[in-house]
């Protein structure tokens, strides 16, 4: 009789285990097929009877539907039944991050790491928590550890250079962007971001060849990235290869005429940058040409290096009266301290940029005096 009862108990337990394994398998399959609404509608009322991993998949369906409170509720229920699954703590950490509860997120990620210290996702999630708390050094440690795991995910490689940039360590940031570029998928937005930053950092280092390589690859991948086209124009001006910049300028003008340019490219683009004493000069070119009216075409913004603010401008000005009298298309002018000045230096449309730049620098050095001045400053047309 005892043997019969024992056999029945074993059979009953086997049936229960089979039923639990079956529901878990069904939920895993449905989750993999992205049937989140079906999982929620058919299983939410039964979860208390389910094993821990089955509850986990129901919670994940809520996770994909962005119902954070329900995710936490079900993950806690799953943990009550099995405290050894690190994935439940990881998803809790991710959910706390979404909710802005970063201290709780750190606690959850650390619990996941305690159970499994080999998973790149867990350390990357921990890094995200620290970044949101502006604990950049702790975040850097977490992300670096994430890159050292087997099959590391892309995110820590994309975040490490950004943290170095935040910590004002440009050399390490550039090195990390190169590592990111070598590691992550070329199809990802992060790859494009790495290329852009490599191009930018190398440009600021006056490593124009390296900057050119990065921006050219970026534009090949994203032909309508007009900000990168503008940056590549600046690279060619830095290399004094002005002819190579002309086709890129034409692309910007085409986009302008089609109305596709936005933000700071909507009306103008920067084509050159250079230092002068304690100032930084940004040279921009405006698209619009107001026929029959005074307009500024090429504007050199003389900026304070510390504040980044424009202190005054020197620009090419098109004066209809001057053109009608047979004068050059552009004359040089300056707006400074509420005074507008003009100089007896003219330039035709196909001017040599080296000549224009040298003349602007002579004005900056006050070696050229204004031919006429007026107050108040005329508003730039």
């Amino acid at each position: 009789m005892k043997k019969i009862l024992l056999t029945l108990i074993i059979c009953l337990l086997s049936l229960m285990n089979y039923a639990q394994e079956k529901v878990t398998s069904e939920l895993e399959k449905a989750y993999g097929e992205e049937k989140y609404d079906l999982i929620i509608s058919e299983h939410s009322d039964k979860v208390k009877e389910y094993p821990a991993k089955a509850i986990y998949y129901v919670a994940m369906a809520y996770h994909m539907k962005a119902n954070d409170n329900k995710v936490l509720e079900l993950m806690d229920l799953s943990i009550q039944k099995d405290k050894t699954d690190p994935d439940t703590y990881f998803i809790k950490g991710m959910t706390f991050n979404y909710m802005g509860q970063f201290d709780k997120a750190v606690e959850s990620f650390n619990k996941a790491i305690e159970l499994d210290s080999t998973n790149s996702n867990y350390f990357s999630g921990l890094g995200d928590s620290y970044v949101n708390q502006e604990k950049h050094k702790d975040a850097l440690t977490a992300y670096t550890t994430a890159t050292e795991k087997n099959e590391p995910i892309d995110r820590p490689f994309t975040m490490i250079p950004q943290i170095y940039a935040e910590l004002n360590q440009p050399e390490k940031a550039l090195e990390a962007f190169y590592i990111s570029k070598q590691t992550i998928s070329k199809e990802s937005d992060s790859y494009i971001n790495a290329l852009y930053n490599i191009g930018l950092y190398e440009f600021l280092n006056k490593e124009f060849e390296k900057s050119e390589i990065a921006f050219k690859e970026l534009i090949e991948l994203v032909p309508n990235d007009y900000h990168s086209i503008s940056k590549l124009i600046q690279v060619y001006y830095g290399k004094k290869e002005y002819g190579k910049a002309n086709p890129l300028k034409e692309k910007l003008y085409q986009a302008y005429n089609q109305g596709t340019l936005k933000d700071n490219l909507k009306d103008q683009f920067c084509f050159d940058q250079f230092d002068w004493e304690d100032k930084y000069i940004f040279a921009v070119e405006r698209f619009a040409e107001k026929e029959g009216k005074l307009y500024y075409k090429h504007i050199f913004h003389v900026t304070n290096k510390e504040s980044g603010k424009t202190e005054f401008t020197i620009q090419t000005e098109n004066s209809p009266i001057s053109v009608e009298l047979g004068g050059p298309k552009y004359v040089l002018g300056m707006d400074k301290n509420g005074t507008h000045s003009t100089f007896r230096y003219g330039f035709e449309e196909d001017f040599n940029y080296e000549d224009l730049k040298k003349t602007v620098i002579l004005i900056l050095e006050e070696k050229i005096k204004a031919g006429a001045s007026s107050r108040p400053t005329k508003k730039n047309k």
Side-chain angles (χ1 to χ4, degrees), residues 74-87:
L74 293 177
M75 286 300 176
D76 283 338
L77 180 60
S78 179
I79 290 169
Q80 288 176 20
K81 297 195 175 190
D82 180 8
K83 294 180 172 60
T84 65
D85 184 358
D87 285 341

Side-chain angles (χ1 to χ4, degrees), residues 37-38 59 69 71 73 82 85 106 110 116 121 124 126 141-142 146 175 191 201 226 236 239 244 309 312 320 330 337:
D37 291 325
L38 178 67
N69 290 322
V71 173
E73 176 190 329
D82 180 8
D85 184 358
V106 169
N110 279 329
D116 179 7
N121 281 285
S124 183
L126 180 61
T141 299
E175 180 183 355
Y191 186 83
Y201 275 101
Y226 299 113
Y236 287 134
K239 295 175 69 178
K244 289 185 178 180
K309 293 183 178 179
F312 61 97
Y330 303 113
N337 298 327

Side-chain angles (χ1 to χ4, degrees), residues 19 89 96 140 192 240 248 273 348:
Y89 294 99
F96 281 131
L140 186 60
I192 300 300
K240 299 184 179 182
L248 299 172
Q273 300 181 33
E348 297 297 343

